[in-house]
Amino acid sequence: MTSIMQDDILEKYLKAGEILSRVRSEAKDRVKVGASLLEVAEFVENRTIELGADGSAFPCNISRNDEAAHATPMADDESVFGEDVVKLDIGVHVDGYIADSAITVDLTGKHGDLVKASEAALYAAIDTVKSGVNTAQLGSVIEDTIVDLGFRPIVNLTGHGVARYIAHTHPSIPNRRIDHGSVLTAGDVIAIEPFATDGAGKIIDGSWAEIFSVIGNKPVRLPAARNLLKEIEPYRMLPFAKRWLKTEKLDFALMQLAKSGVITSYPVLKEVAGGLVSQAEHTLIVTEDGCQVTTL
């Protein structure tokens, strides 16, 4: 790896992955029927810091049943887990170098095959990765694995590259067969995340959002908006949760920054036909003859 990536950068990617792996394992044990979603999310985010990370790469996502992604608890959330299919998606960064991983916890006891479909697709794709492989090939492997197990991939969600302080960047890693992709090269850092469903295989935006990120740098005049801009400055381009913020007149300030093109929101993503969704994800560094998974 030293010939591909500077040693200090590699060390930070590996540290982020090691911390994430431990947090993921500890958090999984807390996902139980009757447990608080907010308490699990706060445990993930606080434990990340306790173990030596510089912060979360994005708010802890806890998406249930037909929710595929971008669900995170509100500040006063009283929701508890029921007999749900739970996606736990965690991001950790060390000096901006990101680890991103997700698991599915089946609290129903009835959907193990659905959980297996996304996991099997993830590991089949990982086994395919090496320098020179086209991401289109990964999409074919993911789709074939999920379909062979009796489910559908979510065709309009993808894996992605990660970069310093950027959770989603080039290249896109498709979860379906496509004609043209991108060629992977040694040193690329990517997150592969297959989603499997018993629904139609497509997601749409839901009606609410609790996650935002900065997308522009424009002057704002209103005091509440300026105060919020100062508060979110430490997150740089990383997503943040509304429940993390203390600025007065918060809803108004968020609306003003969104209207000004300074921030964008990430609505919860829901399966279009109401199907159950499973997710599995690891971050990895591409090598000449394979890859190094940082989040095992």
Side-chain angles (χ1 to χ4, degrees):
M1 294 298 300
T2 55
S3 63
I4 300 169
M5 182 179 292
Q6 294 178 11
D7 287 346
D8 59 335
I9 295 176
L10 174 60
E11 182 179 348
K12 291 171 183 177
Y13 273 121
L14 295 180
K15 181 179 179 181
E18 182 180 355
I19 291 170
L20 191 153
S21 179
R22 183 169 173 182
V23 172
R24 185 185 60 218
S25 177
E26 293 177 2
K28 180 180 179 181
D29 293 338
R30 292 171 177 259
V31 178
K32 299 177 180 179
V33 174
S36 162
L37 274 69
L38 180 58
E39 289 180 5
V40 170
E42 290 181 338
F43 169 81
V44 166
E45 293 156 3
N46 293 334
R47 188 67 171 139
T48 292
I49 299 293
E50 290 173 2
L51 292 175
D54 291 311
S56 297
F58 50 83
C60 177
N61 282 209
I62 303 177
S63 307
R64 294 179 291 167
N65 303 322
D66 65 332
E67 297 170 346
H70 298 171
T72 198
M74 296 179 287
D76 57 352
D77 208 311
E78 297 181 355
S79 301
V80 298
F81 295 105
E83 292 187 351
D84 299 315
V85 176
V86 181
K87 280 73 66 183
L88 186 66
D89 194 347
I90 300 171
V92 170
H93 81 88
V94 173
D95 192 26
Y97 296 99
I98 293 170
D100 182 359
S101 180
I103 57 172
T104 301
V105 182
D106 175 26
L107 295 179
T108 72
K110 301 175 183 178
H111 298 288
D113 288 346
L114 178 62
V115 176
K116 179 183 177 182
S118 55
E119 291 176 346
L122 171 61
Y123 287 104
I126 288 172
D127 287 343
T128 306
V129 169
K130 64 179 179 179
S131 181
V133 165
N134 194 295
T135 57
Q137 186 175 346
L138 302 183
S140 296
V141 167
I142 289 169
E143 180 174 3
D144 289 347
T145 303
I146 291 173
V147 170
D148 286 349
L149 290 171
F151 300 97
R152 293 186 177 93
I154 297 205
V155 298
N156 57 337
L157 283 176
T158 68
H160 49 89
V162 298
R164 193 179 185 199
Y165 289 109
I166 304 175
H168 282 206
T169 189
H170 180 82
S172 174
I173 314 297
N175 288 325
R176 64 181 178 93
R177 184 172 280 100
I178 61 173
D179 292 332
H180 304 288
S182 302
V183 176
L184 297 175
T185 61
D188 286 346
V189 185
I190 60 174
I192 301 175
E193 53 177 330
F195 292 82
T197 183
D198 59 5
K202 188 176 182 181
I203 54 95
I204 56 174
D205 287 348
S207 60
W208 58 279
E210 288 288 315
I211 300 175
F212 302 83
S213 71
V214 174
I215 57 169
N217 182 15
K218 298 180 181 179
V220 291
R221 296 175 57 190
L222 296 172
R226 289 203 304 270
N227 291 340
L228 179 56
L229 192 57
K230 184 176 180 179
E231 184 178 6
I232 64 179
E233 185 177 357
Y235 301 120
R236 302 195 185 193
M237 298 179 69
L238 295 175
F240 54 87
K242 181 180 174 181
R243 60 183 160 80
W244 294 353
L245 306 175
K246 307 299 183 186
T247 297
E248 293 183 2
K249 300 181 181 178
L250 179 57
D251 287 329
F252 174 76
L254 286 167
M255 181 180 67
Q256 291 302 315
L257 291 186
K259 286 176 62 176
S260 300
V262 176
I263 65 172
T264 190
S265 65
Y266 297 91
V268 61
L269 303 177
K270 298 173 71 72
E271 211 284 324
V272 66
L276 296 173
V277 178
S278 70
Q279 175 193 17
E281 180 180 21
H282 276 308
T283 300
L284 53 94
I285 303 170
V286 178
T287 65
E288 290 292 346
D289 57 357
C291 64
Q292 182 171 7
V293 182
T294 67
T295 51
L296 283 177

PDB file of all heavy atoms in Angstrom, residues 28 35 52 130 170 172 181 264 277 287:
ATOM      1  N   LYS A  28     -24.814  -2.539  17.030  1.00  0.00           N
ATOM      2  CA  LYS A  28     -25.705  -3.620  16.596  1.00  0.00           C
ATOM      3  C   LYS A  28     -26.363  -4.288  17.790  1.00  0.00           C
ATOM      4  O   LYS A  28     -27.553  -4.635  17.745  1.00  0.00           O
ATOM      5  CB  LYS A  28     -24.912  -4.641  15.774  1.00  0.00           C
ATOM      6  CG  LYS A  28     -25.758  -5.804  15.270  1.00  0.00           C
ATOM      7  CD  LYS A  28     -24.929  -6.790  14.462  1.00  0.00           C
ATOM      8  CE  LYS A  28     -25.781  -7.956  13.985  1.00  0.00           C
ATOM      9  NZ  LYS A  28     -24.977  -8.942  13.201  1.00  0.00           N
ATOM     10  N   ALA A  35     -36.009  -0.535  22.050  1.00  0.00           N
ATOM     11  CA  ALA A  35     -34.900   0.399  22.281  1.00  0.00           C
ATOM     12  C   ALA A  35     -35.160   1.713  21.546  1.00  0.00           C
ATOM     13  O   ALA A  35     -35.823   1.753  20.506  1.00  0.00           O
ATOM     14  CB  ALA A  35     -33.581  -0.209  21.833  1.00  0.00           C
ATOM     15  N   GLY A  52     -11.526   7.848  19.547  1.00  0.00           N
ATOM     16  CA  GLY A  52     -10.398   8.557  18.961  1.00  0.00           C
ATOM     17  C   GLY A  52     -10.592   9.127  17.584  1.00  0.00           C
ATOM     18  O   GLY A  52      -9.649   9.676  17.009  1.00  0.00           O
ATOM     19  N   LYS A 130     -10.287  -4.901  -8.251  1.00  0.00           N
ATOM     20  CA  LYS A 130      -8.838  -4.737  -8.375  1.00  0.00           C
ATOM     21  C   LYS A 130      -8.596  -3.625  -9.376  1.00  0.00           C
ATOM     22  O   LYS A 130      -9.511  -3.198 -10.096  1.00  0.00           O
ATOM     23  CB  LYS A 130      -8.147  -6.021  -8.825  1.00  0.00           C
ATOM     24  CG  LYS A 130      -8.522  -6.508 -10.204  1.00  0.00           C
ATOM     25  CD  LYS A 130      -7.744  -7.780 -10.539  1.00  0.00           C
ATOM     26  CE  LYS A 130      -8.116  -8.302 -11.919  1.00  0.00           C
ATOM     27  NZ  LYS A 130      -7.341  -9.524 -12.265  1.00  0.00           N
ATOM     28  N   HIS A 170     -16.850  10.797  -6.950  1.00  0.00           N
ATOM     29  CA  HIS A 170     -16.570   9.876  -8.049  1.00  0.00           C
ATOM     30  C   HIS A 170     -15.603   8.780  -7.557  1.00  0.00           C
ATOM     31  O   HIS A 170     -14.725   9.067  -6.746  1.00  0.00           O
ATOM     32  CB  HIS A 170     -15.923  10.664  -9.194  1.00  0.00           C
ATOM     33  CG  HIS A 170     -15.586   9.854 -10.391  1.00  0.00           C
ATOM     34  ND1 HIS A 170     -16.513   9.526 -11.353  1.00  0.00           N
ATOM     35  CD2 HIS A 170     -14.412   9.273 -10.767  1.00  0.00           C
ATOM     36  CE1 HIS A 170     -15.917   8.792 -12.280  1.00  0.00           C
ATOM     37  NE2 HIS A 170     -14.660   8.621 -11.957  1.00  0.00           N
ATOM     38  N   SER A 172     -19.020   6.467  -9.142  1.00  0.00           N
ATOM     39  CA  SER A 172     -20.262   5.829  -8.722  1.00  0.00           C
ATOM     40  C   SER A 172     -20.125   4.314  -8.893  1.00  0.00           C
ATOM     41  O   SER A 172     -19.574   3.844  -9.887  1.00  0.00           O
ATOM     42  CB  SER A 172     -21.419   6.357  -9.575  1.00  0.00           C
ATOM     43  OG  SER A 172     -22.608   5.671  -9.288  1.00  0.00           O
ATOM     44  N   GLY A 181     -19.102   2.275 -17.237  1.00  0.00           N
ATOM     45  CA  GLY A 181     -18.747   2.691 -15.894  1.00  0.00           C
ATOM     46  C   GLY A 181     -17.409   3.398 -15.890  1.00  0.00           C
ATOM     47  O   GLY A 181     -16.995   3.977 -16.894  1.00  0.00           O
ATOM     48  N   THR A 264     -27.933  21.985   1.288  1.00  0.00           N
ATOM     49  CA  THR A 264     -28.963  21.142   0.690  1.00  0.00           C
ATOM     50  C   THR A 264     -29.431  20.150   1.735  1.00  0.00           C
ATOM     51  O   THR A 264     -28.727  19.864   2.706  1.00  0.00           O
ATOM     52  CB  THR A 264     -28.433  20.400  -0.555  1.00  0.00           C
ATOM     53  OG1 THR A 264     -29.518  19.767  -1.238  1.00  0.00           O
ATOM     54  CG2 THR A 264     -27.395  19.343  -0.189  1.00  0.00           C
ATOM     55  N   VAL A 277     -36.366  -3.176   2.602  1.00  0.00           N
ATOM     56  CA  VAL A 277     -35.039  -2.931   2.026  1.00  0.00           C
ATOM     57  C   VAL A 277     -33.969  -3.417   2.991  1.00  0.00           C
ATOM     58  O   VAL A 277     -34.060  -3.197   4.198  1.00  0.00           O
ATOM     59  CB  VAL A 277     -34.833  -1.429   1.751  1.00  0.00           C
ATOM     60  CG1 VAL A 277     -33.433  -1.165   1.189  1.00  0.00           C
ATOM     61  CG2 VAL A 277     -35.893  -0.891   0.806  1.00  0.00           C
ATOM     62  N   THR A 287      -6.324  -1.994  -4.721  1.00  0.00           N
ATOM     63  CA  THR A 287      -4.912  -2.303  -4.931  1.00  0.00           C
ATOM     64  C   THR A 287      -4.735  -2.907  -6.323  1.00  0.00           C
ATOM     65  O   THR A 287      -5.701  -3.143  -7.052  1.00  0.00           O
ATOM     66  CB  THR A 287      -4.409  -3.293  -3.862  1.00  0.00           C
ATOM     67  OG1 THR A 287      -5.096  -4.554  -4.012  1.00  0.00           O
ATOM     68  CG2 THR A 287      -4.647  -2.754  -2.460  1.00  0.00           C
TER      69      THR A 287
END
